[in-house]
Amino acid sequence: MASLTLGSVASTPGRRALALATVLTAQCMFAMDLLIVVVALPRIQQDLGFNPASLTWVLNAFGLAFGGLLLLGGRLGDMVGQVRAFRVGLAVFVLGSLLGGLAQTPGLLVGARVLQGMGAALAGPSLLALVMVMARDAAEQARGMSLFIAVSSVGASAGLILGGVLTEYLSWRWALLINVPVGVLVLLAIGRLVAETHPKPARLDVVGALTATLGSVALVYGFISAADDGWRAPGTLLSFALVLPMFVVFVRTERRHREPLLDLRLLHDRSRVAGLVVMALIVGMHFSLLFMLVQYLQRVMGYTPLVAGIAYLPLTATVFAISHFVPRLIVRFGARILLAAGSLLVAFSLVGFALLGEHDAYLPAVLVPLLVHAVGIALVFAPGTVAIMDGVPEEHAGAASGLLQMDQQIGGALGIAMITSIYALNADHAHYASGLPAAFIGAAVIALVAALIAARGIVSKRSTCAAD
């Protein structure tokens, strides 16, 4: 990883702990923001006049911008310095949050969500790099990574809980506005607590940046359009038609460019590639579960936004608790076994959710598979991060972090689009639960594929992630 310019900044254990907490606060905001508005969608539709088809863009606009620009954000962090990239990105994110919270029309809200995603994409890749470089020894580095992974793992479900509380007692607008005071405090603190990394000036790979962004956005938009308008819709066909040419040009550009956006040698590692695939698939199925289940809780069980959010508390608490022990498990068993086992547990949990009906109770029909799912997710996120980031040269730390987070964000957006598309093809719209069996069985099959890839693709080796 890149090295810090050492000095008085974050030079004592207490200041380093405060610096780590500040960085993790920002990561928590970014992790929560994709789904924090989900429980508020009915009220947003009522207040701003969204039609049902366009309402999904409150969610998708953030995911598209975030996922599509992360690789560029990671490279810019390496070039200009991680702290500088983080602060600029966070400022853009805060501005988008403010505009979204004040929006009076659907177009303004969707535009603000795009701005949020752009800011998060610039700041996000710097976070993991900063967590690593702030550590002064292997134990601190392991604890920092463990906490980063835990916050990232629980962020989406925690966003649903917080979104429910804010929507119920204040307004859906506070699901966005809460980022403003928190973000300003982080901006003020980060410069005092964390010294700048050494910038590595380079020529920006403009063609690589454009093709990576356009290819990623086209891929995600294609699945979103398929879920909303069908697989034969012009927007769907055009989007998928753009994907392959964009990525072919991207790969050719990266091979020839002296200072590429992404050094393709990072993808020569078998375990890293397998980790990226497994992470994308499992994050996609995790996000699709969160998205589908919160609607089931409200539309079928009749929960309020607050109660629907609180229903995810066992998931959040379990993932956070287990994540503390996962670094030790990685050292003992290796990433391959944990990734395969976690993916299998996710698949089993999705089969359990496929059994949900119109008249089931939260306990046991929802709670039991939710806990199984939580254990599975906890066993995937940390080993997946280790498999992807292990052995990355320090000059490519930001780019690799951007690749990891792009993988997660695009995986999440694709997962939601794919599973909701399966749901739409099989649902009787008068009965929400009617489409759940097909949707969740499809998700379970994808999770089983992830388990197989983990078992066959991850090379067994001693992890560099020490137990804390």
Side-chain angles (χ1 to χ4, degrees), residues 4-178:
L4 278 171
T5 303
L6 299 181
S8 61
V9 179
S11 59
T12 67
R15 289 178 67 86
R16 291 199 299 275
L18 183 57
L20 179 62
T22 302
V23 170
L24 293 179
T25 298
Q27 174 62 16
C28 187
M29 284 196 298
F30 298 153
M32 289 194 304
D33 236 71
L34 179 65
L35 295 179
I36 194 171
V37 297
V38 167
V39 294
L41 288 178
R43 297 192 183 180
I44 292 174
Q45 181 179 13
Q46 180 181 357
D47 287 355
L48 297 186
F50 277 92
N51 61 55
S54 63
L55 186 63
T56 57
W57 281 103
V58 178
L59 182 67
N60 294 331
F62 180 86
L64 271 177
F66 194 5
L69 294 170
L70 268 166
L71 202 57
L72 175 60
R75 183 60 176 148
L76 289 175
D78 287 333
M79 291 170 57
V80 305
Q82 305 293 356
V83 174
R84 183 176 292 108
F86 172 78
R87 296 183 73 178
V88 172
L90 183 57
V92 173
F93 176 81
V94 169
L95 177 60
S97 300
L98 177 62
L99 295 176
L102 300 177
Q104 299 298 317
T105 66
L108 288 176
L109 179 57
V110 171
R113 291 286 284 169
V114 170
L115 198 60
Q116 280 187 298
M118 293 171 62
L122 179 56
S126 297
L127 288 170
L128 182 56
L130 290 176
V131 167
M132 300 300 288
V133 299
M134 284 190 296
R136 298 303 175 95
D137 54 43
E140 278 192 13
Q141 192 172 85
R143 283 194 293 271
M145 178 174 278
S146 178
L147 287 171
F148 178 88
I149 294 168
V151 168
S152 302
S153 302
V154 305
S157 53
L160 291 170
I161 297 170
L162 181 60
V165 172
L166 295 172
T167 301
E168 187 76 15
Y169 289 111
L170 295 173
S171 164
W172 63 265
R173 296 181 181 278
W174 278 101
L176 301 174
L177 291 175
I178 193 172

Side-chain angles (χ1 to χ4, degrees), residues 8-11 15 19 83 87 186-195:
S8 61
V9 179
S11 59
R15 289 178 67 86
V83 174
R87 296 183 73 178
V186 172
L187 278 172
L188 293 174
I190 195 71
R192 297 176 178 273
L193 294 171
V194 182

Side-chain angles (χ1 to χ4, degrees), residues 64-65 67-70 72 208-218 247 250 261:
L64 271 177
L69 294 170
L70 268 166
L72 175 60
L210 287 174
T211 52
T213 299
L214 291 175
S216 301
V217 169
F247 284 126
F250 173 74
L261 186 72

